[in-house]
Coordinates of all heavy atoms in Angstrom, one line a residue:
D44 N 2.8 16.3 1.5 CA 1.8 17.0 0.8 C 2.4 18.3 0.1 O 3.3 19.0 0.7 CB 0.6 17.5 1.6 CG -0.3 16.3 1.8 OD1 -0.2 15.2 1.2 OD2 -1.2 16.4 2.7
R45 N 1.9 18.9 -0.9 CA 2.5 20.0 -1.6 C 1.4 21.1 -1.5 O 0.2 20.9 -1.8 CB 2.9 19.7 -3.0 CG 4.0 18.8 -3.1 CD 4.4 18.4 -4.3 NE 3.4 17.8 -5.1 CZ 3.2 17.9 -6.4 NH1 3.9 18.7 -7.1 NH2 2.1 17.3 -6.9
V46 N 1.8 22.4 -1.4 CA 0.9 23.6 -1.5 C 1.5 24.3 -2.7 O 2.6 24.8 -2.7 CB 0.9 24.5 -0.3 CG1 -0.1 25.6 -0.5 CG2 0.4 23.6 0.9
V47 N 0.7 24.5 -3.8 CA 1.1 25.2 -5.0 C 0.5 26.6 -4.9 O -0.7 26.8 -4.5 CB 0.5 24.4 -6.2 CG1 0.8 25.2 -7.4 CG2 0.9 23.1 -6.3
I48 N 1.3 27.5 -5.2 CA 1.1 29.0 -4.8 C 1.2 29.8 -6.1 O 2.0 29.5 -7.0 CB 2.0 29.5 -3.9 CG1 2.0 28.6 -2.6 CG2 1.9 30.9 -3.5 CD1 3.3 28.7 -1.7
F54 N 2.2 33.2 -1.2 CA 3.4 32.6 -0.6 C 3.6 33.0 0.9 O 3.9 32.2 1.7 CB 4.6 32.9 -1.4 CG 5.9 32.4 -0.9 CD1 6.2 31.0 -1.1 CD2 6.8 33.3 -0.4 CE1 7.5 30.5 -0.6 CE2 8.0 32.7 0.1 CZ 8.3 31.4 0.0
V57 N 0.8 31.5 3.1 CA 1.0 30.0 3.3 C 2.0 29.9 4.4 O 1.9 29.1 5.3 CB 1.3 29.3 2.0 CG1 1.9 27.9 2.2 CG2 0.2 29.2 1.1
K58 N 3.1 30.5 4.3 CA 4.2 30.4 5.4 C 3.7 30.8 6.7 O 4.0 30.2 7.7 CB 5.4 31.3 4.9 CG 6.2 30.6 3.8 CD 7.4 31.5 3.3 CE 8.2 32.1 4.5 NZ 9.4 32.9 4.0
L61 N 1.2 28.1 8.1 CA 1.8 26.8 8.5 C 2.7 27.1 9.8 O 2.6 26.3 10.7 CB 2.8 26.3 7.4 CG 2.0 25.9 6.1 CD1 3.1 25.5 5.1 CD2 1.1 24.7 6.4
Y68 N 7.5 22.7 7.2 CA 7.5 22.9 5.8 C 8.8 23.1 5.3 O 9.8 23.6 5.9 CB 6.4 23.9 5.3 CG 6.9 25.4 5.7 CD1 7.6 26.1 4.9 CD2 6.4 25.8 7.0 CE1 8.0 27.4 5.3 CE2 6.7 27.0 7.3 CZ 7.5 27.9 6.5 OH 7.8 29.1 7.0
K69 N 9.0 22.9 3.8 CA 10.2 23.2 3.1 C 9.7 23.9 2.0 O 8.9 23.6 1.2 CB 10.9 21.9 2.7 CG 12.1 22.2 1.9 CD 12.8 20.8 1.7 CE 14.1 21.1 0.8 NZ 14.7 19.9 0.2
V70 N 10.4 25.0 1.7 CA 10.1 26.0 0.6 C 10.9 25.3 -0.7 O 12.2 25.3 -0.6 CB 10.5 27.3 0.7 CG1 10.2 28.1 -0.6 CG2 9.8 28.0 1.9
K71 N 10.2 24.8 -1.7 CA 10.8 24.1 -2.8 C 11.2 25.2 -3.8 O 12.1 25.3 -4.5 CB 10.0 23.0 -3.5 CG 10.0 21.9 -2.6 CD 9.3 20.7 -3.2 CE 10.1 20.1 -4.3 NZ 9.8 19.0 -4.9
S72 N 10.1 26.2 -3.9 CA 10.3 27.4 -4.8 C 9.3 28.4 -4.3 O 8.6 28.2 -3.4 CB 10.1 27.0 -6.2 OG 8.7 26.8 -6.5
R74 N 6.8 29.1 -5.7 CA 5.5 28.6 -6.1 C 5.1 27.2 -5.6 O 4.1 26.8 -5.9 CB 5.4 28.5 -7.6 CG 5.7 29.9 -8.3 CD 4.6 30.8 -8.1 NE 4.8 32.1 -8.7 CZ 5.0 33.2 -8.0 NH1 4.8 33.2 -6.7 NH2 5.2 34.3 -8.6
E75 N 5.8 26.7 -4.7 CA 5.6 25.3 -4.1 C 6.2 25.2 -2.7 O 7.4 25.5 -2.6 CB 6.0 24.2 -5.1 CG 5.6 22.8 -4.6 CD 5.9 21.8 -5.6 OE1 6.8 22.0 -6.5 OE2 5.5 20.7 -5.4
V76 N 5.4 24.8 -1.8 CA 5.8 24.4 -0.4 C 5.5 23.1 -0.1 O 4.5 22.6 -0.4 CB 5.1 25.3 0.6 CG1 5.5 24.9 2.0 CG2 5.5 26.8 0.4
L77 N 6.5 22.3 0.4 CA 6.4 20.7 0.8 C 6.2 20.7 2.3 O 6.9 21.3 3.1 CB 7.6 20.1 0.3 CG 7.6 18.7 0.6 CD1 6.7 18.0 -0.4 CD2 9.1 18.1 0.3
I78 N 5.1 20.0 2.6 CA 4.7 19.7 4.1 C 5.7 18.7 4.5 O 5.9 17.7 4.0 CB 3.4 19.3 4.3 CG1 2.4 20.4 3.8 CG2 3.1 19.0 5.8 CD1 2.5 21.8 4.2

Side-chain angles (χ1 to χ4, degrees):
D44 281 353
R45 297 178 296 146
V46 181
V47 179
I48 304 157
F54 177 74
V57 166
K58 286 176 46 177
L61 295 174
Y68 63 91
K69 177 181 178 184
V70 177
K71 291 189 73 176
S72 71
R74 300 295 176 239
E75 186 175 13
V76 174
L77 181 68
I78 304 302

